[in-house]
Amino acid sequence: MKVPLSLALCATLTLLGASTGFSGKSFPSPNDSSDTFDQIADETLYFINRGYQEIPLNNTYKEVVLVVGNTGAGKTTLTKFITGQPLIAYKKAGRILIKDADNKISHEITSVSKTIFPELFLDKETNIAYFDLPGFLDTRNASIELANAWFMKLVADHVNKVKIVFIVNYSALRSGESRTDFKNFLENAISFILKPLKFQPAIALVASKVDSFLPEDLIISEITEFLEAEKPSLQSIFEDKEQLQKVLSLVDAFLLKSSSGGYDRIGFFKQPANVGPIDDVPEIQVRRMALKNLINKHLQYVQTEPDDFGISITDHARNYVSVIIEKLNSKFTAVMTQAATGIQQYYQQQGTSQRPLESFLGKFIQEIAQLERMVQVLSKSTSRLSFIEILEKQMLPLWGFNSVLKELRNLHKTLEFYENVSKRTRASEILQWTQPLQTTLDQLKLQASKFLDALNTKAETYAGKIIHSLESVYKQTVQGGSSSGDSSMQEKIKNNLANDLRIIDTLKNNLPTQMSFNSYWSATKNSLGALSVSKGNSLPPLLGVDIPFQAHPELKKDSWIRTLYGLITSISNRQSEFIGTLQQKKQEEEIKALNLKIANILQENARELRIAQDKERRLNESINEQKRLAAESARQLREMGEKQIRMQQACHEDAKRRYQEAQNREALLQKQIREIQSPLACSYSETCFL
């Protein structure tokens, strides 16, 4: 919840009013024993503060009709009459008076009515805006007179174009009457309108409180005759030539004639003859239209400049100005103190909320840096206005300085006004105005340091937890890999350990180059995310707004990095342990495999020996069998040879016998053939026979 800084001035002034016994209803006269400097100054500031709240200074109506005149001349009555506000005529103490529905028209000079504050009225028929300004010579109290002078200047400086209607009591515009009222009117008029000649096209005079029985054609002629008659005597009244020239320019503006020869810049308002709503009286309605025509048709809007308007106060009221200036300067410091307190309370609420550090600390640091820059620049400002302008440019919206700036600008304008009245400018108390912000800045920087210490502790805790978690996971991984018989898995673990060690080593070299909290932990997150075993690691949340290390030594990243060194040693040890275990297991496996191989070889040799022996036995048996078979074959061969010989001998004998038998048969046959051929005388030879 933001501290309502805009209430600071109002609350203080209200207390000041209470402390002086000021009730807002009646005031001591200038000669009263309670009419002290402090009281008048406090009352004036009270009125000024109320004026800032009640005077409708908006940018919609920057082209207005200013209604001015002496106090009691009837400005409010005429302004409401012209703009069509309901008015009622009533009788009191034998006189016909006028009142409005909300009783803001007062006929008691000692009462405080809202007419001390300029009021804006809008003519709904023409959409023309009228500002009913406080009256000249409101001497009920010096505080009212001083406030009135400021309100008139404030409104006149706010608008861009004006028409000016002067309201003067008809009795002050008649020959034979006292000239004091008219003289005072002119003095105050030229004190307020510094350049009457410039505003001649915009100036009109309206006589108020004209007796209802006077003929209308007589009223204007009496007023013009009075003005013309008074012009020569003004030289003796206004001895200062510049003042005289201004007064004559003002009177000449009233007496300007139209092309038809009429005095179109002078109007009047008659008092009602009977009680009741004045809107019901036809003559009154005619008079309203005449006044509206005077203002709308015969006056021209004139562009205003800051130096067109001045102030009109009595010497008695002027005596209080120096005290008012002192109090306004003190109030300037009080507003800055209240602003600084508001900033401090805002951040106290931020710090005591349940939100985590990460969600607001970076933004908090940035805002403190902005506040520090603003304080440094403010301390070098050279004037009250430059101080306010720097504050406006450098402030952050969340500090709620809009109301503070409004207060300060109002104070500046008020101070400037009263400094002009006093004819001296007070030196700006820049360091005094800046000191509350500097004090708040120092406190906030101390609070930020505490927050940074807490963030550092949090980061160290996270770093320790991360290392502990990783070491535990690596231990389990190595133990699981060591007890596993899966060589491919063991090889994978070994490669992962080597790769993770390289990642951590790279991270160790990379982290010192990181310049901010978020970049440090983002780099850590990226590296740990690449590890084979870090998928579940918890990292500190990143800041909503990053914090650089260089400007904030509370963040000890070197200690976080040193924690990381322990992880490198741990992983390296685990890697060595795992590799040693794997090597031992490998050697054991190799010995076991070698022993198995030797056993297999021995077993194979034994088997092959048995086979060889069996082969040898079978071979011997085969040889023996072959020998037996060979012996048997030899016997059989001998027997067969002998049989063959016998058979050959038998065959030979048989062949021999057969040959002998064949020869015998042949010889017998040849004998037979010869016996046959001889008779036939065969010629065949022996060869043919054969």
Side-chain angles (χ1 to χ4, degrees), residues 232-250:
S233 64
L234 293 176
Q235 296 182 11
S236 61
I237 298 174
F238 296 95
E239 296 180 357
D240 183 88
K241 291 184 178 181
E242 184 178 354
Q243 279 190 324
L244 177 61
Q245 186 61 46
K246 289 181 179 180
V247 168
L248 292 175
S249 296
L250 184 63

Side-chain angles (χ1 to χ4, degrees), residues 188-342:
N188 286 284
I190 64 172
S191 295
F192 178 58
I193 309 297
L194 300 178
K195 302 175 182 178
L197 187 62
K198 171 183 176 179
F199 289 98
Q200 273 190 349
I203 288 175
L205 174 68
V206 175
S208 64
K209 300 182 181 181
V210 178
D211 292 331
S212 60
F213 58 83
L214 289 176
E216 292 191 1
D217 56 351
L218 180 64
I219 298 171
I220 299 296
S221 63
E222 281 192 351
I223 294 174
T224 56
E225 289 174 4
F226 171 79
L227 294 175
E228 291 287 1
E230 285 297 310
K231 287 177 66 176
S233 64
L234 293 176
Q235 296 182 11
S236 61
I237 298 174
F238 296 95
E239 296 180 357
D240 183 88
K241 291 184 178 181
E242 184 178 354
Q243 279 190 324
L244 177 61
Q245 186 61 46
K246 289 181 179 180
V247 168
L248 292 175
S249 296
L250 184 63
V251 174
D252 288 342
F254 298 151
L255 293 171
L256 283 175
K257 293 183 179 181
S258 65
S259 57
S260 61
Y263 292 98
D264 296 332
R265 303 294 187 88
I266 300 176
F268 63 88
F269 174 74
K270 279 187 173 184
Q271 291 293 101
N274 300 301
V275 299
I278 66 174
D279 285 346
D280 297 341
V281 181
E283 294 83 353
I284 295 291
Q285 295 304 315
V286 171
R287 181 48 36 203
R288 174 186 285 132
M289 291 306 301
L291 291 175
K292 291 177 72 168
N293 284 336
L294 183 156
I295 295 169
N296 300 341
K297 294 182 179 180
H298 299 295
L299 299 185
Q300 301 174 21
Y301 283 106
V302 173
Q303 185 78 36
T304 64
E305 301 295 336
D307 58 348
D308 286 339
F309 301 96
I311 54 176
S312 175
I313 59 174
T314 63
D315 291 338
H316 170 72
R318 197 181 300 273
N319 292 331
Y320 299 99
V321 171
S322 61
V323 180
I324 293 174
I325 291 174
E326 291 292 334
K327 288 185 175 290
L328 286 170
N329 270 289
S330 298
K331 190 53 56 190
F332 203 99
T333 303
V335 172
M336 290 306 301
T337 301
Q338 188 70 17
T341 302

